[in-house]
Amino acid sequence: MTRDRLQHEQAAAAEPCPCQEGMRPSVDLGRRKLLFAGAAATAATGLIGSRAAADTKAPPGAALYDVPEDSTKVPGRGVHEDHGYGTRSQFEKEVRVKADNPSDITSWTFTPLASTIGNLTPSGLHFERHHGGIPVIDPDRHDLFLHGLVDVAKKFSVAELKRLPSVTRKYFIECSGNTLSEWSKPKGKNVQFTHGLLSTSEWTGVPFATLARAVGLKDNAAWVLAEGADAAVMTRSIPIGKMLSDALIVYGQNGEALRPEQGYPLRLVLPGFEGNTHIKWLRRLQVSDRPFMTREETSAYTDLMKDGRAKLYTLAMDAKSVITFPSGEMMLPKPGQYMIQGFAWTGRGRVHAVDISLDKGATWLPARIDNVPEPMCTVRFSFPWHWDGKPVVLQSRCTDETGYVQPTRAELIPLRGENAIYHYNAIQSWAIGADGSVSNVHI
Amino acid sequence: MYTSRLAAAVVAACTLASPALAQERSHEIGTPVSAEDLKPFFSIQPGGIGLPAGSGTVAHGREVYNQRCFYCHGEKLEGNRDMAGPPLAGGRGTLASEKPLKTVESYWPQASTLFDYIWRAMPFDQPGSLTADEVYSLVAYILAEGKIVGQDVRMDAETLSKVVMPNANGFYDGSGPDLRIYRAGADK
């Protein structure tokens, strides 16, 4: 599980770029330049509006159009050429990258954190982790069953759930395996790989409490098994206290239906809990007086400690943060003024503060928090910084509203050992070399 | 006059409608289901709760394994990386070492989980295609290979619920905050 490697090409970090935007790793700047040249030639021959040569492919999620030399001199394209569902610009190429696992059916993809803008992750860039592939489910033939320690067992159709009073809230989801490459050595080359199993969406759905009232809970109800309709028939046990405090049965993500990779048509969202518990393709909830001890909460998603014993039910995600600019594989072209940027989050409420250290943790200075902190939601932070051209290590540290402070590696590793796999939340360090190169280090 | 009558009607309608709107009528939400409707589903809990009727043997389990499992999990249950299949036996005594080998034998706390998981998710390329007898046999075979039960075991709901796994006491509740983090801080 730890032998994941990024499968995409290494970014061409060789040539420093002239501006902050261009310092983000971009594999095919060369091709973009070519495309410009080709398009100009096409325009000259009067073939305005025709598709570019078949050997140039549109990036995923985009359609390829000719690029006029002067966009004010030719009419643009008309409405609805996209058949009513828009695409992103052909100049935007960021994609999820997949882990190098032997099977793509049980594998994961990472969100490109360094290039997402604002706090929400575009639905098409939300990280993925599937244990049995992505199922195709017709919502008209999909029901949610709720049974077990209830007065009346019931099923709810997707259409009926959509008619019930809903709530809309922003929450992050983080896989508890996020940053698992970092326990022993600094293995991740860039932030997409080290921290990309984190995404934030606006979710819309029905509180579990509404359904609980519809069936009536028995006095001894203590745990709820959530089950997915994928080939893994994924199952996790959730404490009833969590289910009744903020669990949502969601059908909406960022203003539209859930994406298939995110559980279409129904997903359980458990704000702040580890990603695996947010059961996708949700089809069944069984109320019990005890946990079920499923494979995914015993064999997997338990945290093996140094003494050989393991923690069960480590469900809440601890406070964590990461600098996304500058971060691994980037290149600072020259000394000067930069804006450090990043994400911070916690599964135990709101982010209270983010601090930056430029001296390996000796002193900490407050960063600016760029959006209003919301419970179990990421914040963006920024910190104006002057680089004098000397080697330096950049670190960020999150403090949440409970007073929990994100630990250093020196604090975390003695507590957990190096074999826990899950719930690594130590402070991340990026080293800037004298040449401006940025790399992942442990200090 | 028309307007005022309309306004009065709206006020009346609102007064009538609001109690109904403000209260969800819980009993009207959802469709009751019978035990028959729930038949396709299962989940097996520690103590054997939820186990189906049926039984199996190690010999039959070996046969099924050698047809349906070996190419992903290895002929000796040692796993097969190329097929993503984890090892299912071995690794006892390694959990506190630098290179722990977590398997059914060395790590899993409950035998009920093995039945539940194989029945719901294996074989990986044809999930949900095994009969209860086949699953009992596979459980018997995997546990026998791990020297947790004898070769002559007849596995059924009763014997399975009595199996004590080697690492049964290897887990503890980690749901609360990690208290040690509050003293490791040691403000340098």
Side-chain angles (χ1 to χ4, degrees), chain A residues 3 102 153-155 160 213 227 233 235 284 286 288 292-293 295 298-299 302 309-310 312-313 411 415 419, chain B residues 24 27 29-33 41-43 45 81 98 100 107-108 113 120 170-172 174-175 178 180 185:
Chain A
R3 61 209 201 83
K154 283 184 175 176
K155 67 175 180 186
E160 175 169 26
R213 272 192 296 273
E227 181 180 272
V233 204
T235 42
R284 186 166 76 92
Q286 180 180 349
S288 178
F292 287 73
M293 303 290 271
R295 183 247 180 181
T298 53
S299 169
T302 47
R309 299 198 311 144
L312 282 169
Y313 303 115
E411 289 164 347
L415 297 182
N419 286 321
Chain B
E24 69 194 29
H27 62 281
I29 299 172
T31 309
V33 292
F41 306 119
F42 67 87
S43 37
Q45 287 173 287
R81 284 206 141 187
E98 252 172 54
Y107 194 59
W108 290 35
T113 311
R120 73 175 55 243
F171 290 82
Y172 59 100
S175 59
D178 190 341
R180 294 170 307 168

Side-chain angles (χ1 to χ4, degrees), chain A residues 138-424:
Chain A
D138 177 349
D140 293 340
R141 290 172 45 209
H142 186 83
D143 292 310
L144 173 62
F145 289 80
L146 174 49
H147 67 112
L149 295 177
V150 298
D151 295 330
V152 188
K154 283 184 175 176
K155 67 175 180 186
F156 308 87
S157 69
V158 176
E160 175 169 26
L161 290 169
K162 284 182 168 176
R163 284 196 301 268
L164 294 175
S166 70
V167 297
T168 295
R169 290 176 191 152
K170 285 180 225 128
Y171 295 120
F172 74 83
I173 297 182
E174 182 187 18
C175 178
S176 55
N178 198 21
T179 326
L180 67 74
S181 59
E182 302 303 301
W183 282 102
S184 52
K185 287 193 200 78
K187 289 192 194 135
K189 296 265 180 273
N190 58 46
V191 72
Q192 182 165 15
F193 181 80
T194 58
H195 289 76
L197 299 180
L198 166 79
S199 299
T200 297
S201 297
E202 184 186 82
W203 306 101
T204 297
V206 181
F208 172 73
T210 304
L211 304 189
R213 272 192 296 273
V215 295
L217 295 177
K218 300 271 198 211
D219 283 347
N220 53 342
W223 290 81
V224 178
L225 181 86
E227 181 180 272
D230 56 331
V233 204
M234 180 58 63
T235 42
R236 288 298 300 259
S237 310
I238 316 299
I240 193 84
K242 179 64 176 177
M243 293 298 286
L244 292 174
S245 61
D246 54 4
L248 298 179
I249 317 298
V250 309
Y251 47 80
Q253 179 187 8
N254 299 331
E256 60 182 354
L258 281 170
R259 290 289 167 105
E261 319 90 273
Q262 298 308 326
Y264 183 88
L266 296 176
R267 175 180 208 167
L268 182 62
V269 164
L270 299 172
F273 269 26
E274 65 182 11
N276 181 253
T277 62
H278 300 230
I279 298 293
K280 298 183 281 190
W281 316 292
L282 184 70
R283 73 169 190 187
R284 186 166 76 92
L285 295 167
Q286 180 180 349
V287 184
S288 178
D289 58 353
R290 69 195 74 187
F292 287 73
M293 303 290 271
T294 71
R295 183 247 180 181
E296 250 63 43
E297 57 207 23
T298 53
S299 169
Y301 302 103
T302 47
D303 312 353
L304 182 61
M305 298 291 111
K306 274 187 303 188
D307 63 1
R309 299 198 311 144
K311 286 191 194 177
L312 282 169
Y313 303 115
T314 45
L315 300 174
M317 299 307 294
D318 294 318
K320 193 163 165 180
S321 66
V322 68
I323 292 171
T324 55
F325 181 85
S327 60
E329 292 186 325
M330 292 182 186
M331 195 80 188
L332 299 181
K334 54 177 189 289
Q337 194 67 25
Y338 292 97
M339 186 66 83
I340 293 173
Q341 291 170 32
F343 284 102
W345 63 100
T346 170
R348 294 205 172 84
R350 293 177 185 81
V351 171
H352 175 70
V354 181
D355 298 295
I356 302 291
S357 178
L358 307 169
D359 54 10
K360 302 187 177 174
T363 56
W364 293 90
L365 296 161
R368 195 181 91 136
I369 294 187
D370 299 339
N371 56 292
V372 177
E374 293 175 58
M376 311 349 170
C377 190
T378 41
V379 298
R380 300 292 306 228
F381 64 82
S382 54
F383 183 90
W385 165 62
H386 183 84
W387 182 44
D388 57 11
K390 296 198 188 96
V392 62
V393 173
L394 308 184
Q395 297 176 305
S396 64
R397 185 182 72 182
C398 176
T399 302
D400 73 20
E401 66 176 331
T402 70
Y404 177 101
V405 181
Q406 184 184 3
T408 61
R409 279 186 57 76
E411 289 164 347
L412 189 73
I413 300 302
L415 297 182
R416 303 268 174 87
E418 294 182 1
N419 286 321
I421 300 180
Y422 308 102
H423 293 278
Y424 180 96

Side-chain angles (χ1 to χ4, degrees), chain B residues 4-167:
Chain B
S4 70
R5 206 192 295 161
L6 184 66
V10 168
V11 168
C14 286
T15 340
L16 284 176
S18 59
L21 283 177
Q23 268 167 37
E24 69 194 29
R25 295 202 261 183
S26 301
H27 62 281
E28 287 178 7
I29 299 172
T31 309
V33 292
S34 65
E36 191 62 26
D37 296 325
L38 295 168
K39 261 215 170 127
F41 306 119
F42 67 87
S43 37
I44 290 129
Q45 287 173 287
I49 302 168
L51 279 171
S55 69
T57 62
V58 174
H60 183 226
R62 182 178 293 114
E63 227 170 85
V64 181
Y65 183 90
N66 287 336
Q67 283 165 13
R68 316 226 17 210
C69 323
F70 80 98
Y71 52 98
C72 291
H73 291 288
E75 280 177 37
K76 297 198 170 74
L77 284 68
E78 74 279 18
N80 181 346
R81 284 206 141 187
D82 294 338
M83 300 296 285
L88 303 179
R92 273 204 224 193
T94 65
L95 296 181
S97 74
E98 252 172 54
K99 284 212 157 62
L101 180 63
K102 294 193 272 185
T103 69
V104 174
E105 177 187 345
S106 68
Y107 194 59
W108 290 35
Q110 298 287 341
S112 56
T113 311
L114 186 58
F115 192 102
D116 180 276
Y117 183 70
I118 295 175
W119 209 16
R120 73 175 55 243
M122 288 295 134
F124 193 66
D125 45 6
Q126 262 184 302
S129 63
L130 298 169
T131 66
D133 285 351
E134 286 173 322
V135 181
Y136 276 118
S137 293
L138 285 162
V139 167
Y141 174 64
I142 294 168
L143 295 181
E145 288 293 298
K147 304 203 170 45
I148 297 164
V149 298
Q151 293 287 331
D152 55 351
V153 71
R154 190 191 134 92
M155 194 60 77
D156 57 22
E158 205 186 323
T159 42
L160 197 153
S161 62
K162 293 205 177 104
V163 172
V164 178
M165 298 295 278
N167 196 38

